Coordinates of all heavy atoms in Angstrom, one line a residue:
Chain M
E15 N 80.5 117.7 92.5 CA 79.6 117.6 93.6 C 78.6 118.8 93.6 O 78.9 119.8 93.0 CB 80.3 117.6 94.9 CG 81.1 116.3 95.1 CD 82.5 116.3 94.5 OE1 82.9 117.4 94.0 OE2 83.2 115.3 94.6
T16 N 77.5 118.6 94.3 CA 76.5 119.6 94.4 C 77.0 120.7 95.3 O 77.9 120.5 96.2 CB 75.2 119.1 94.9 OG1 75.4 118.6 96.3 CG2 74.6 118.0 94.1
A17 N 76.5 121.9 95.2 CA 76.8 123.0 96.1 C 76.6 122.6 97.5 O 77.3 122.9 98.4 CB 76.1 124.3 95.7
E18 N 75.4 121.9 97.8 CA 75.1 121.5 99.2 C 76.2 120.6 99.8 O 76.6 120.8 100.9 CB 73.7 120.8 99.2 CG 72.5 121.6 99.0 CD 72.2 121.9 97.5 OE1 73.0 121.3 96.6 OE2 71.3 122.6 97.2
F19 N 76.6 119.7 99.0 CA 77.6 118.7 99.4 C 78.9 119.5 99.8 O 79.5 119.3 100.8 CB 77.9 117.7 98.4 CG 78.9 116.7 98.7 CD1 78.7 115.6 99.5 CD2 80.2 116.9 98.3 CE1 79.7 114.7 99.9 CE2 81.3 116.0 98.6 CZ 81.0 114.9 99.4
L20 N 79.3 120.4 98.9 CA 80.5 121.1 99.1 C 80.5 122.0 100.3 O 81.4 122.1 101.0 CB 80.9 121.9 97.8 CG 81.3 121.0 96.6 CD1 81.4 121.9 95.3 CD2 82.6 120.3 96.8
D21 N 79.3 122.7 100.4 CA 79.1 123.6 101.6 C 79.2 122.7 102.9 O 79.8 123.2 103.9 CB 77.8 124.3 101.5 CG 77.8 125.3 100.4 OD1 78.9 125.7 100.0 OD2 76.7 125.8 100.1
A22 N 78.5 121.6 102.9 CA 78.5 120.8 104.1 C 79.9 120.3 104.4 O 80.4 120.3 105.6 CB 77.6 119.6 104.0
F23 N 80.7 120.0 103.4 CA 82.1 119.5 103.6 C 82.9 120.7 104.2 O 83.6 120.5 105.1 CB 82.6 119.0 102.3 CG 84.0 118.5 102.4 CD1 84.3 117.3 103.0 CD2 85.1 119.3 102.0 CE1 85.6 116.8 103.1 CE2 86.4 118.8 102.1 CZ 86.6 117.6 102.7
Q24 N 82.7 121.9 103.6 CA 83.5 123.0 104.0 C 83.2 123.4 105.4 O 84.1 123.8 106.2 CB 83.2 124.2 103.1 CG 84.1 125.4 103.3 CD 85.6 125.1 103.0 OE1 85.9 124.5 102.0 NE2 86.5 125.4 104.0
S25 N 81.9 123.2 105.9 CA 81.6 123.6 107.3 C 82.3 122.6 108.2 O 82.7 123.0 109.3 CB 80.1 123.8 107.6 OG 79.4 123.0 106.7
R26 N 82.4 121.3 107.8 CA 83.2 120.4 108.7 C 84.6 120.9 108.8 O 85.2 120.9 109.9 CB 83.2 119.0 108.1 CG 81.8 118.3 108.1 CD 82.0 116.8 107.7 NE 82.7 116.1 108.7 CZ 83.2 114.8 108.6 NH1 83.0 114.2 107.4 NH2 83.8 114.3 109.5
I27 N 85.2 121.3 107.7 CA 86.6 121.7 107.6 C 86.7 123.0 108.5 O 87.6 123.1 109.3 CB 87.0 122.1 106.2 CG1 87.0 120.9 105.3 CG2 88.4 122.7 106.2 CD1 88.1 119.9 105.5
D28 N 85.8 123.9 108.3 CA 85.8 125.2 109.1 C 85.7 124.9 110.6 O 86.2 125.7 111.4 CB 84.7 126.2 108.6 CG 85.0 126.6 107.2 OD1 86.2 126.5 106.7 OD2 84.0 127.1 106.5
A29 N 85.0 123.9 111.0 CA 84.8 123.6 112.4 C 86.0 122.8 112.9 O 86.0 122.2 114.0 CB 83.5 122.7 112.6
E30 N 87.1 122.7 112.1 CA 88.3 121.9 112.4 C 88.0 120.4 112.7 O 88.7 119.8 113.5 CB 89.0 122.6 113.7 CG 89.5 124.0 113.4 CD 90.7 124.0 112.5 OE1 91.5 123.1 112.4 OE2 90.9 125.1 111.8
E31 N 87.0 119.9 112.1 CA 86.8 118.4 112.2 C 87.8 117.8 111.2 O 88.0 118.3 110.1 CB 85.4 118.1 111.6 CG 84.4 117.9 112.7 CD 83.0 117.5 112.1 OE1 83.0 116.4 111.5 OE2 82.0 118.2 112.2
K32 N 88.4 116.7 111.7 CA 89.3 115.9 110.8 C 88.4 115.1 109.8 O 87.4 114.5 110.2 CB 90.2 115.0 111.6 CG 91.2 115.7 112.5 CD 92.3 116.3 111.7 CE 93.3 117.0 112.6 NZ 93.9 118.1 112.0
I33 N 88.9 114.9 108.6 CA 88.2 114.1 107.7 C 88.9 112.7 107.8 O 90.2 112.6 107.7 CB 88.3 114.6 106.2 CG1 87.8 116.1 106.2 CG2 87.6 113.8 105.2 CD1 86.4 116.3 106.7

Side-chain angles (χ1 to χ4, degrees):
Chain M
E15 292 86 5
T16 63
E18 288 80 6
F19 177 83
L20 291 171
D21 288 346
F23 183 75
Q24 188 64 48
S25 28
R26 292 190 67 190
I27 299 282
D28 293 342
E30 296 290 333
E31 263 185 60
K32 294 283 182 216
I33 307 303

